[in-house]
Structure formats: C-alpha cells, structure tokens
Amino acid sequence: MTATETAAYRFSVAPMLDCTDRHFRVLMRQISRHALLYSEMVVAQALHHSNRRDKLLDFDAVEHPIALQVGGDDPALLADAARLASDWNYDEINLNIGCPSQKVQAGNFGACLMAEPDLVARCVEAMSNATSLPVTVKHRIGIDDLDSDDLLTAFVDRVASAGASRFSVHARKAWLDGLDPKQNRTIPPLQHDRVQALKQRRPHLTIELNGGLESPEDCIEALRTCDGAMVGRAAYSHPLRWAAMDHLVFGKPPRDLLASDVVTGLLPHAAAHLSSGGRLWDLCRHLVQLVEGVRGARHWRRELGDRAQRPGADLTVLEEAGRQLREAGL
C-alpha cells in the first residue's frame, strides 16, 4: 500500500461536542486501531486562560492517532493552541470552520469564518509557524448565500496557501440564521458531488469527505473519489458497525470483534478513571449504543444505565456487563 492509502485520515471519527470525549475515543480505539480520532472542539481562548488546561487536553496514549480540534479567530491564540498540541503530543491540530451554532458565531469562529478566508488563512499560517504538526481545517461547502463552487474553491486555495495540509469538508452548506446545529446536520441537502468535484479541481490537495456516511460501504465509495472518509453521528450511534474498517481501509487482518471484547478492552481505562476520582457513568454513557438489534439489548442497556449511574458505582458494574454479553455470545 502507498503512504496515502495507509494514512489515518483515510477513515476518521469526526469531532462532536458532548460525544467525542476521551472515554468515547478509548471505546472507538477498541473498534478501530488505526482510525484518526478527534477531540471535542476546544476554544483557543479557553485554552489560553483556563486553569483547567489539563482536563481540556489530556488523553490516553491508546488514543493515538488523535487530532486536537480548536475553534477561534485570533491567530496569536491559535498559535498558542498549536504549541500546546505539540507539547501534549497530539498527532495534528484541526481548525473548526464548520460549527454553525449561535454561541460560536457570537465568538466569531466556526462556520461564519468561511466568509473571511483571509482571516482563516492568517490563523492557519500562525498555527503552521508555531508547530511541526499537520494543521488541518474542517469546514462546510458554503454558508447562507455564500454557496458556490467558485467561492468554495477560492476558500480552499487561500487556506491551502497558508499551510493547511488537509480539508475535511462537510458536504452540506450551513444556514447561520434560522437553523440550529442539529437542523444544520440534516436540513441542508447533502451534496457529495460538490466535494468530489472540488477534489477533481484540486487533485493535489488532500480532501476528506464528511456528512451522510452511514456505513462502511458508504466510506469505501467515498474513498473512490476523495482522500478520506469522516464519520460522525453514525459512529457514535452505532460504534460496533465500524469494526471492519481496519481491514477494509487499512488492509489489516480481519478480526471478529464482539461487544463483550470492547467492554473488556475498556476495563483498564475505567479502572484508571475511577482511581482518579471519576464516575463510572462518564464512560458507560457511551456504551448504551454498543449493543443493538439483538434480543435483550434494551434490557442490557437499561440495566447498565441504572447501575452505572448509582453513587459509588465501581468496576464490578462494567465487569458484570461484559460477562452478560459473553454469556449471550455478543
């Protein structure tokens, strides 16, 4: 295989607020050992001023390869974030130019910055100058009435010239006024063809397709025309669905992965989290999506949720959940 074919971004799990925390990332690492995982978006200003920096940046070594996603519009603060990403041993840093929420817009970052390609370029240039890590950008195909192939190409060209090494393109435009973030993930129509056409116009750039990829087959199809396939909600809602991706995308030997294997693999991480004062539910809240479509799944999820949320819930809850799955052949 070529280096491009084995690059981690060939299959990645998108950054998702309240979803892709360190516990979910460790869960996904049981399912794919080679996918690129992303942090939740961290605001550069918070990184600069917060006394919670360790909590915002810390991750388990098993999560590699991992990208830190940041949001902001201040080149100096974003350069500082890039240096922190290097210091904390992330594998890349990604700039969020895709989030359409009103709160993010109020801070003048996220998707609204697609209207300011020169500012985005200055941010990317500052980040690139501050770190040897790859600096990548996640963005939409357009916003509001700024939604043409010419504008999309001009945006990518300008930001690429500043040092962006990869573009993760959500194949929907964003409406900044009138739709909330959830609606912006579903109401604007998917336009994979526009991302594919961007790749055709700029074959020398690394273009990753995001949006509406619901199955491994969708990802394999996306990789016929783009350099990478990024999965979001479908990975969170159906994590075990992606167990074949290391074989299909990265050419690794196939393995028969069961839900019980995933739970067992999480035990060391859960033990460390509990020993540092964490709650078992912090991790188990992500597990309720692990088992689906089989008899007894609803009962297993309900029991795990009930027991893991009790005060003082310990590792035996997770061990028992794994035992139940093994006995059921799951």
PDB file of all heavy atoms in Angstrom, residues 182-212:
ATOM      1  N   LYS A 182     -28.315  21.067  15.157  1.00  0.00           N
ATOM      2  CA  LYS A 182     -28.901  19.781  14.789  1.00  0.00           C
ATOM      3  C   LYS A 182     -29.595  19.868  13.437  1.00  0.00           C
ATOM      4  O   LYS A 182     -29.441  18.987  12.584  1.00  0.00           O
ATOM      5  CB  LYS A 182     -29.889  19.330  15.871  1.00  0.00           C
ATOM      6  CG  LYS A 182     -30.503  17.959  15.587  1.00  0.00           C
ATOM      7  CD  LYS A 182     -31.419  17.524  16.705  1.00  0.00           C
ATOM      8  CE  LYS A 182     -32.032  16.145  16.413  1.00  0.00           C
ATOM      9  NZ  LYS A 182     -32.943  15.713  17.508  1.00  0.00           N
ATOM     10  N   GLN A 183     -30.366  20.921  13.214  1.00  0.00           N
ATOM     11  CA  GLN A 183     -31.041  21.103  11.928  1.00  0.00           C
ATOM     12  C   GLN A 183     -30.034  21.283  10.798  1.00  0.00           C
ATOM     13  O   GLN A 183     -30.251  20.822   9.679  1.00  0.00           O
ATOM     14  CB  GLN A 183     -31.976  22.304  12.005  1.00  0.00           C
ATOM     15  CG  GLN A 183     -33.183  22.104  12.910  1.00  0.00           C
ATOM     16  CD  GLN A 183     -33.944  23.389  13.140  1.00  0.00           C
ATOM     17  OE1 GLN A 183     -33.358  24.463  13.276  1.00  0.00           O
ATOM     18  NE2 GLN A 183     -35.272  23.292  13.181  1.00  0.00           N
ATOM     19  N   ASN A 184     -28.907  21.930  11.096  1.00  0.00           N
ATOM     20  CA  ASN A 184     -27.881  22.129  10.071  1.00  0.00           C
ATOM     21  C   ASN A 184     -27.171  20.836   9.689  1.00  0.00           C
ATOM     22  O   ASN A 184     -26.468  20.798   8.686  1.00  0.00           O
ATOM     23  CB  ASN A 184     -26.860  23.166  10.540  1.00  0.00           C
ATOM     24  CG  ASN A 184     -27.139  24.553   9.979  1.00  0.00           C
ATOM     25  OD1 ASN A 184     -27.209  24.721   8.768  1.00  0.00           O
ATOM     26  ND2 ASN A 184     -27.315  25.527  10.851  1.00  0.00           N
ATOM     27  N   ARG A 185     -27.352  19.784  10.495  1.00  0.00           N
ATOM     28  CA  ARG A 185     -26.804  18.475  10.140  1.00  0.00           C
ATOM     29  C   ARG A 185     -27.760  17.660   9.282  1.00  0.00           C
ATOM     30  O   ARG A 185     -27.378  16.591   8.787  1.00  0.00           O
ATOM     31  CB  ARG A 185     -26.454  17.667  11.398  1.00  0.00           C
ATOM     32  CG  ARG A 185     -25.321  18.243  12.230  1.00  0.00           C
ATOM     33  CD  ARG A 185     -24.817  17.233  13.240  1.00  0.00           C
ATOM     34  NE  ARG A 185     -25.816  16.820  14.198  1.00  0.00           N
ATOM     35  CZ  ARG A 185     -26.013  17.394  15.380  1.00  0.00           C
ATOM     36  NH1 ARG A 185     -25.269  18.441  15.728  1.00  0.00           N
ATOM     37  NH2 ARG A 185     -26.936  16.960  16.220  1.00  0.00           N
ATOM     38  N   THR A 186     -29.005  18.140   9.142  1.00  0.00           N
ATOM     39  CA  THR A 186     -29.996  17.314   8.455  1.00  0.00           C
ATOM     40  C   THR A 186     -30.783  18.045   7.367  1.00  0.00           C
ATOM     41  O   THR A 186     -31.116  17.443   6.347  1.00  0.00           O
ATOM     42  CB  THR A 186     -30.997  16.738   9.478  1.00  0.00           C
ATOM     43  OG1 THR A 186     -31.586  17.822  10.226  1.00  0.00           O
ATOM     44  CG2 THR A 186     -30.306  15.785  10.452  1.00  0.00           C
ATOM     45  N   ILE A 187     -31.095  19.321   7.572  1.00  0.00           N
ATOM     46  CA  ILE A 187     -31.981  20.018   6.633  1.00  0.00           C
ATOM     47  C   ILE A 187     -31.276  20.431   5.337  1.00  0.00           C
ATOM     48  O   ILE A 187     -31.786  20.150   4.240  1.00  0.00           O
ATOM     49  CB  ILE A 187     -32.670  21.209   7.324  1.00  0.00           C
ATOM     50  CG1 ILE A 187     -33.653  20.688   8.386  1.00  0.00           C
ATOM     51  CG2 ILE A 187     -33.390  22.081   6.314  1.00  0.00           C
ATOM     52  CD1 ILE A 187     -34.336  21.768   9.195  1.00  0.00           C
ATOM     53  N   PRO A 188     -30.133  21.108   5.390  1.00  0.00           N
ATOM     54  CA  PRO A 188     -29.467  21.403   4.111  1.00  0.00           C
ATOM     55  C   PRO A 188     -29.110  20.097   3.402  1.00  0.00           C
ATOM     56  O   PRO A 188     -28.584  19.175   4.022  1.00  0.00           O
ATOM     57  CB  PRO A 188     -28.201  22.162   4.536  1.00  0.00           C
ATOM     58  CG  PRO A 188     -28.517  22.710   5.890  1.00  0.00           C
ATOM     59  CD  PRO A 188     -29.397  21.680   6.532  1.00  0.00           C
ATOM     60  N   PRO A 189     -29.414  19.961   2.132  1.00  0.00           N
ATOM     61  CA  PRO A 189     -29.202  18.677   1.458  1.00  0.00           C
ATOM     62  C   PRO A 189     -27.725  18.316   1.342  1.00  0.00           C
ATOM     63  O   PRO A 189     -26.865  19.188   1.200  1.00  0.00           O
ATOM     64  CB  PRO A 189     -29.821  18.898   0.071  1.00  0.00           C
ATOM     65  CG  PRO A 189     -29.799  20.381  -0.119  1.00  0.00           C
ATOM     66  CD  PRO A 189     -29.990  20.981   1.237  1.00  0.00           C
ATOM     67  N   LEU A 190     -27.468  17.031   1.424  1.00  0.00           N
ATOM     68  CA  LEU A 190     -26.119  16.525   1.179  1.00  0.00           C
ATOM     69  C   LEU A 190     -25.755  16.753  -0.285  1.00  0.00           C
ATOM     70  O   LEU A 190     -26.562  16.531  -1.182  1.00  0.00           O
ATOM     71  CB  LEU A 190     -26.038  15.032   1.485  1.00  0.00           C
ATOM     72  CG  LEU A 190     -25.837  14.622   2.938  1.00  0.00           C
ATOM     73  CD1 LEU A 190     -26.091  13.139   3.089  1.00  0.00           C
ATOM     74  CD2 LEU A 190     -24.439  14.983   3.409  1.00  0.00           C
ATOM     75  N   GLN A 191     -24.522  17.172  -0.510  1.00  0.00           N
ATOM     76  CA  GLN A 191     -24.040  17.395  -1.874  1.00  0.00           C
ATOM     77  C   GLN A 191     -22.625  16.806  -2.001  1.00  0.00           C
ATOM     78  O   GLN A 191     -21.649  17.536  -2.175  1.00  0.00           O
ATOM     79  CB  GLN A 191     -24.052  18.887  -2.213  1.00  0.00           C
ATOM     80  CG  GLN A 191     -25.453  19.505  -2.156  1.00  0.00           C
ATOM     81  CD  GLN A 191     -25.456  20.965  -2.549  1.00  0.00           C
ATOM     82  OE1 GLN A 191     -25.186  21.336  -3.689  1.00  0.00           O
ATOM     83  NE2 GLN A 191     -25.749  21.827  -1.580  1.00  0.00           N
ATOM     84  N   HIS A 192     -22.560  15.490  -1.918  1.00  0.00           N
ATOM     85  CA  HIS A 192     -21.273  14.815  -2.060  1.00  0.00           C
ATOM     86  C   HIS A 192     -20.598  15.166  -3.377  1.00  0.00           C
ATOM     87  O   HIS A 192     -19.368  15.240  -3.465  1.00  0.00           O
ATOM     88  CB  HIS A 192     -21.465  13.297  -1.964  1.00  0.00           C
ATOM     89  CG  HIS A 192     -21.735  12.815  -0.579  1.00  0.00           C
ATOM     90  ND1 HIS A 192     -21.991  11.496  -0.287  1.00  0.00           N
ATOM     91  CD2 HIS A 192     -21.794  13.475   0.611  1.00  0.00           C
ATOM     92  CE1 HIS A 192     -22.191  11.354   1.014  1.00  0.00           C
ATOM     93  NE2 HIS A 192     -22.077  12.530   1.571  1.00  0.00           N
ATOM     94  N   ASP A 193     -21.430  15.368  -4.407  1.00  0.00           N
ATOM     95  CA  ASP A 193     -20.864  15.641  -5.727  1.00  0.00           C
ATOM     96  C   ASP A 193     -20.027  16.914  -5.731  1.00  0.00           C
ATOM     97  O   ASP A 193     -19.034  17.016  -6.471  1.00  0.00           O
ATOM     98  CB  ASP A 193     -21.976  15.726  -6.780  1.00  0.00           C
ATOM     99  CG  ASP A 193     -23.019  16.799  -6.457  1.00  0.00           C
ATOM    100  OD1 ASP A 193     -23.392  16.915  -5.275  1.00  0.00           O
ATOM    101  OD2 ASP A 193     -23.444  17.509  -7.370  1.00  0.00           O
ATOM    102  N   ARG A 194     -20.369  17.878  -4.895  1.00  0.00           N
ATOM    103  CA  ARG A 194     -19.606  19.119  -4.870  1.00  0.00           C
ATOM    104  C   ARG A 194     -18.241  18.921  -4.212  1.00  0.00           C
ATOM    105  O   ARG A 194     -17.255  19.559  -4.617  1.00  0.00           O
ATOM    106  CB  ARG A 194     -20.394  20.217  -4.153  1.00  0.00           C
ATOM    107  CG  ARG A 194     -21.619  20.674  -4.950  1.00  0.00           C
ATOM    108  CD  ARG A 194     -22.301  21.852  -4.301  1.00  0.00           C
ATOM    109  NE  ARG A 194     -21.390  22.986  -4.152  1.00  0.00           N
ATOM    110  CZ  ARG A 194     -21.679  24.057  -3.415  1.00  0.00           C
ATOM    111  NH1 ARG A 194     -22.838  24.122  -2.760  1.00  0.00           N
ATOM    112  NH2 ARG A 194     -20.812  25.050  -3.328  1.00  0.00           N
ATOM    113  N   VAL A 195     -18.176  18.062  -3.201  1.00  0.00           N
ATOM    114  CA  VAL A 195     -16.882  17.754  -2.587  1.00  0.00           C
ATOM    115  C   VAL A 195     -16.026  16.956  -3.558  1.00  0.00           C
ATOM    116  O   VAL A 195     -14.815  17.195  -3.705  1.00  0.00           O
ATOM    117  CB  VAL A 195     -17.075  16.990  -1.263  1.00  0.00           C
ATOM    118  CG1 VAL A 195     -15.720  16.724  -0.598  1.00  0.00           C
ATOM    119  CG2 VAL A 195     -17.983  17.768  -0.314  1.00  0.00           C
ATOM    120  N   GLN A 196     -16.654  16.014  -4.240  1.00  0.00           N
ATOM    121  CA  GLN A 196     -15.927  15.225  -5.236  1.00  0.00           C
ATOM    122  C   GLN A 196     -15.410  16.108  -6.368  1.00  0.00           C
ATOM    123  O   GLN A 196     -14.280  15.931  -6.840  1.00  0.00           O
ATOM    124  CB  GLN A 196     -16.845  14.125  -5.774  1.00  0.00           C
ATOM    125  CG  GLN A 196     -17.210  13.089  -4.726  1.00  0.00           C
ATOM    126  CD  GLN A 196     -18.453  12.283  -5.072  1.00  0.00           C
ATOM    127  OE1 GLN A 196     -19.211  12.649  -5.981  1.00  0.00           O
ATOM    128  NE2 GLN A 196     -18.684  11.204  -4.342  1.00  0.00           N
ATOM    129  N   ALA A 197     -16.221  17.077  -6.769  1.00  0.00           N
ATOM    130  CA  ALA A 197     -15.790  17.992  -7.830  1.00  0.00           C
ATOM    131  C   ALA A 197     -14.640  18.878  -7.358  1.00  0.00           C
ATOM    132  O   ALA A 197     -13.735  19.207  -8.134  1.00  0.00           O
ATOM    133  CB  ALA A 197     -16.970  18.851  -8.283  1.00  0.00           C
ATOM    134  N   LEU A 198     -14.667  19.264  -6.084  1.00  0.00           N
ATOM    135  CA  LEU A 198     -13.557  20.039  -5.519  1.00  0.00           C
ATOM    136  C   LEU A 198     -12.258  19.244  -5.607  1.00  0.00           C
ATOM    137  O   LEU A 198     -11.212  19.786  -5.983  1.00  0.00           O
ATOM    138  CB  LEU A 198     -13.868  20.407  -4.071  1.00  0.00           C
ATOM    139  CG  LEU A 198     -12.738  21.110  -3.299  1.00  0.00           C
ATOM    140  CD1 LEU A 198     -12.430  22.470  -3.905  1.00  0.00           C
ATOM    141  CD2 LEU A 198     -13.117  21.238  -1.814  1.00  0.00           C
ATOM    142  N   LYS A 199     -12.332  17.973  -5.275  1.00  0.00           N
ATOM    143  CA  LYS A 199     -11.144  17.126  -5.370  1.00  0.00           C
ATOM    144  C   LYS A 199     -10.658  17.025  -6.819  1.00  0.00           C
ATOM    145  O   LYS A 199      -9.445  17.064  -7.079  1.00  0.00           O
ATOM    146  CB  LYS A 199     -11.447  15.733  -4.807  1.00  0.00           C
ATOM    147  CG  LYS A 199     -10.308  14.718  -4.963  1.00  0.00           C
ATOM    148  CD  LYS A 199      -9.047  15.179  -4.242  1.00  0.00           C
ATOM    149  CE  LYS A 199      -7.908  14.188  -4.462  1.00  0.00           C
ATOM    150  NZ  LYS A 199      -6.644  14.641  -3.828  1.00  0.00           N
ATOM    151  N   GLN A 200     -11.599  16.939  -7.745  1.00  0.00           N
ATOM    152  CA  GLN A 200     -11.206  16.875  -9.157  1.00  0.00           C
ATOM    153  C   GLN A 200     -10.539  18.170  -9.612  1.00  0.00           C
ATOM    154  O   GLN A 200      -9.580  18.148 -10.385  1.00  0.00           O
ATOM    155  CB  GLN A 200     -12.427  16.564 -10.021  1.00  0.00           C
ATOM    156  CG  GLN A 200     -12.964  15.151  -9.837  1.00  0.00           C
ATOM    157  CD  GLN A 200     -14.256  14.915 -10.587  1.00  0.00           C
ATOM    158  OE1 GLN A 200     -14.890  15.859 -11.089  1.00  0.00           O
ATOM    159  NE2 GLN A 200     -14.658  13.657 -10.693  1.00  0.00           N
ATOM    160  N   ARG A 201     -11.052  19.306  -9.108  1.00  0.00           N
ATOM    161  CA  ARG A 201     -10.457  20.589  -9.486  1.00  0.00           C
ATOM    162  C   ARG A 201      -9.095  20.801  -8.839  1.00  0.00           C
ATOM    163  O   ARG A 201      -8.244  21.494  -9.392  1.00  0.00           O
ATOM    164  CB  ARG A 201     -11.397  21.745  -9.088  1.00  0.00           C
ATOM    165  CG  ARG A 201     -12.669  21.839  -9.890  1.00  0.00           C
ATOM    166  CD  ARG A 201     -13.371  23.169  -9.666  1.00  0.00           C
ATOM    167  NE  ARG A 201     -13.745  23.388  -8.279  1.00  0.00           N
ATOM    168  CZ  ARG A 201     -14.876  22.952  -7.716  1.00  0.00           C
ATOM    169  NH1 ARG A 201     -15.725  22.210  -8.436  1.00  0.00           N
ATOM    170  NH2 ARG A 201     -15.157  23.222  -6.462  1.00  0.00           N
ATOM    171  N   ARG A 202      -8.913  20.214  -7.666  1.00  0.00           N
ATOM    172  CA  ARG A 202      -7.668  20.409  -6.924  1.00  0.00           C
ATOM    173  C   ARG A 202      -7.097  19.040  -6.524  1.00  0.00           C
ATOM    174  O   ARG A 202      -7.043  18.688  -5.348  1.00  0.00           O
ATOM    175  CB  ARG A 202      -7.918  21.266  -5.676  1.00  0.00           C
ATOM    176  CG  ARG A 202      -8.351  22.687  -5.997  1.00  0.00           C
ATOM    177  CD  ARG A 202      -7.237  23.459  -6.704  1.00  0.00           C
ATOM    178  NE  ARG A 202      -7.599  24.854  -6.938  1.00  0.00           N
ATOM    179  CZ  ARG A 202      -8.154  25.301  -8.068  1.00  0.00           C
ATOM    180  NH1 ARG A 202      -8.412  24.465  -9.081  1.00  0.00           N
ATOM    181  NH2 ARG A 202      -8.441  26.581  -8.215  1.00  0.00           N
ATOM    182  N   PRO A 203      -6.673  18.260  -7.493  1.00  0.00           N
ATOM    183  CA  PRO A 203      -6.208  16.893  -7.198  1.00  0.00           C
ATOM    184  C   PRO A 203      -4.986  16.851  -6.293  1.00  0.00           C
ATOM    185  O   PRO A 203      -4.730  15.823  -5.632  1.00  0.00           O
ATOM    186  CB  PRO A 203      -5.902  16.319  -8.584  1.00  0.00           C
ATOM    187  CG  PRO A 203      -5.690  17.511  -9.460  1.00  0.00           C
ATOM    188  CD  PRO A 203      -6.605  18.564  -8.931  1.00  0.00           C
ATOM    189  N   HIS A 204      -4.221  17.937  -6.242  1.00  0.00           N
ATOM    190  CA  HIS A 204      -3.013  17.954  -5.412  1.00  0.00           C
ATOM    191  C   HIS A 204      -3.325  18.195  -3.938  1.00  0.00           C
ATOM    192  O   HIS A 204      -2.449  18.006  -3.082  1.00  0.00           O
ATOM    193  CB  HIS A 204      -2.063  19.049  -5.902  1.00  0.00           C
ATOM    194  CG  HIS A 204      -2.641  20.426  -5.832  1.00  0.00           C
ATOM    195  ND1 HIS A 204      -3.616  20.857  -6.713  1.00  0.00           N
ATOM    196  CD2 HIS A 204      -2.391  21.473  -4.990  1.00  0.00           C
ATOM    197  CE1 HIS A 204      -3.935  22.118  -6.412  1.00  0.00           C
ATOM    198  NE2 HIS A 204      -3.209  22.508  -5.384  1.00  0.00           N
ATOM    199  N   LEU A 205      -4.556  18.607  -3.611  1.00  0.00           N
ATOM    200  CA  LEU A 205      -4.932  18.830  -2.223  1.00  0.00           C
ATOM    201  C   LEU A 205      -5.537  17.565  -1.624  1.00  0.00           C
ATOM    202  O   LEU A 205      -6.114  16.739  -2.334  1.00  0.00           O
ATOM    203  CB  LEU A 205      -5.940  19.974  -2.113  1.00  0.00           C
ATOM    204  CG  LEU A 205      -5.453  21.356  -2.559  1.00  0.00           C
ATOM    205  CD1 LEU A 205      -6.564  22.388  -2.376  1.00  0.00           C
ATOM    206  CD2 LEU A 205      -4.203  21.776  -1.789  1.00  0.00           C
ATOM    207  N   THR A 206      -5.391  17.424  -0.314  1.00  0.00           N
ATOM    208  CA  THR A 206      -5.958  16.277   0.396  1.00  0.00           C
ATOM    209  C   THR A 206      -7.348  16.659   0.889  1.00  0.00           C
ATOM    210  O   THR A 206      -7.497  17.544   1.745  1.00  0.00           O
ATOM    211  CB  THR A 206      -5.067  15.873   1.577  1.00  0.00           C
ATOM    212  OG1 THR A 206      -3.744  15.601   1.093  1.00  0.00           O
ATOM    213  CG2 THR A 206      -5.596  14.614   2.255  1.00  0.00           C
ATOM    214  N   ILE A 207      -8.350  16.000   0.328  1.00  0.00           N
ATOM    215  CA  ILE A 207      -9.754  16.329   0.587  1.00  0.00           C
ATOM    216  C   ILE A 207     -10.435  15.128   1.233  1.00  0.00           C
ATOM    217  O   ILE A 207     -10.440  14.019   0.675  1.00  0.00           O
ATOM    218  CB  ILE A 207     -10.495  16.703  -0.713  1.00  0.00           C
ATOM    219  CG1 ILE A 207      -9.774  17.833  -1.455  1.00  0.00           C
ATOM    220  CG2 ILE A 207     -11.946  17.058  -0.409  1.00  0.00           C
ATOM    221  CD1 ILE A 207      -9.780  19.154  -0.745  1.00  0.00           C
ATOM    222  N   GLU A 208     -11.053  15.372   2.375  1.00  0.00           N
ATOM    223  CA  GLU A 208     -11.738  14.328   3.142  1.00  0.00           C
ATOM    224  C   GLU A 208     -13.237  14.618   3.126  1.00  0.00           C
ATOM    225  O   GLU A 208     -13.657  15.748   3.369  1.00  0.00           O
ATOM    226  CB  GLU A 208     -11.197  14.353   4.567  1.00  0.00           C
ATOM    227  CG  GLU A 208     -11.728  13.313   5.508  1.00  0.00           C
ATOM    228  CD  GLU A 208     -11.108  13.457   6.895  1.00  0.00           C
ATOM    229  OE1 GLU A 208     -10.557  14.543   7.205  1.00  0.00           O
ATOM    230  OE2 GLU A 208     -11.194  12.494   7.664  1.00  0.00           O
ATOM    231  N   LEU A 209     -14.038  13.601   2.820  1.00  0.00           N
ATOM    232  CA  LEU A 209     -15.489  13.769   2.723  1.00  0.00           C
ATOM    233  C   LEU A 209     -16.154  13.464   4.054  1.00  0.00           C
ATOM    234  O   LEU A 209     -15.914  12.417   4.656  1.00  0.00           O
ATOM    235  CB  LEU A 209     -16.046  12.842   1.646  1.00  0.00           C
ATOM    236  CG  LEU A 209     -17.569  12.856   1.448  1.00  0.00           C
ATOM    237  CD1 LEU A 209     -18.044  14.220   0.958  1.00  0.00           C
ATOM    238  CD2 LEU A 209     -17.992  11.768   0.469  1.00  0.00           C
ATOM    239  N   ASN A 210     -17.009  14.374   4.507  1.00  0.00           N
ATOM    240  CA  ASN A 210     -17.759  14.218   5.744  1.00  0.00           C
ATOM    241  C   ASN A 210     -19.228  14.531   5.467  1.00  0.00           C
ATOM    242  O   ASN A 210     -19.546  15.390   4.663  1.00  0.00           O
ATOM    243  CB  ASN A 210     -17.197  15.166   6.809  1.00  0.00           C
ATOM    244  CG  ASN A 210     -18.065  15.243   8.057  1.00  0.00           C
ATOM    245  OD1 ASN A 210     -18.481  16.317   8.460  1.00  0.00           O
ATOM    246  ND2 ASN A 210     -18.340  14.120   8.667  1.00  0.00           N
ATOM    247  N   GLY A 211     -20.109  13.800   6.168  1.00  0.00           N
ATOM    248  CA  GLY A 211     -21.533  14.075   6.052  1.00  0.00           C
ATOM    249  C   GLY A 211     -22.291  12.961   5.365  1.00  0.00           C
ATOM    250  O   GLY A 211     -22.033  12.657   4.204  1.00  0.00           O
ATOM    251  N   GLY A 212     -23.215  12.319   6.093  1.00  0.00           N
ATOM    252  CA  GLY A 212     -24.093  11.326   5.492  1.00  0.00           C
ATOM    253  C   GLY A 212     -23.457   9.982   5.196  1.00  0.00           C
ATOM    254  O   GLY A 212     -24.058   9.179   4.474  1.00  0.00           O
TER     255      GLY A 212
END
